[in-house]
Amino acid sequence: AAVLSTDFKPVAVPIAPPPLSPAPGSAELPSIGSAAHERGRCKPCVFFHTKGCEIGPTCRFCHLCGVDERKRRRKETTEQRQVAREARKAVVPAHR
């Protein structure tokens, strides 16, 4: 027969440190692509505000950007290209 010991010794269990960044799927980081949102280096998820993003927390695109962010950025880029195009025309005369 087995002999049971009543002499228990406490064992130290290491406690994991808290994570350095929010977990994907949390309110602070709803998707992996949202990680660069605060620095303005993210790319908005096209589906998140329309039909919903099927990929969820593992989506490479930002779920924190507002509804019109993609449209705003596209307009800004178009305007910057137009200004650059006009600046080039002013510097380099047209060939005749």
Side-chain angles (χ1 to χ4, degrees):
V3 177
L4 298 176
S5 172
T6 57
D7 187 24
F8 292 104
K9 296 178 183 171
V11 177
V13 178
I15 298 174
L20 298 175
S21 61
S26 65
E28 298 87 11
L29 187 65
S31 67
I32 292 172
S34 301
H37 181 79
E38 288 184 18
R39 296 185 310 270
R41 305 284 303 164
C42 61
K43 293 182 180 179
C45 180
V46 186
F47 305 107
F48 185 71
H49 293 291
T50 56
K51 66 178 186 174
C53 180
E54 295 179 7
I55 300 172
T58 58
C59 180
R60 295 181 304 136
F61 298 94
C62 185
H63 292 183
L64 291 173
C65 287
V67 178
D68 296 324
E69 184 63 18
R70 184 169 177 252
K71 184 177 180 180
R72 185 193 70 75
R73 289 185 187 186
R74 186 182 308 137
K75 182 179 178 183
E76 185 178 284
T77 301
T78 303
E79 289 172 355
Q80 288 173 353
R81 286 181 182 158
Q82 181 66 30
V83 168
R85 195 174 301 123
E86 290 172 5
R88 281 194 307 271
K89 285 181 183 179
V91 173
V92 179
H95 296 296
R96 292 184 185 189

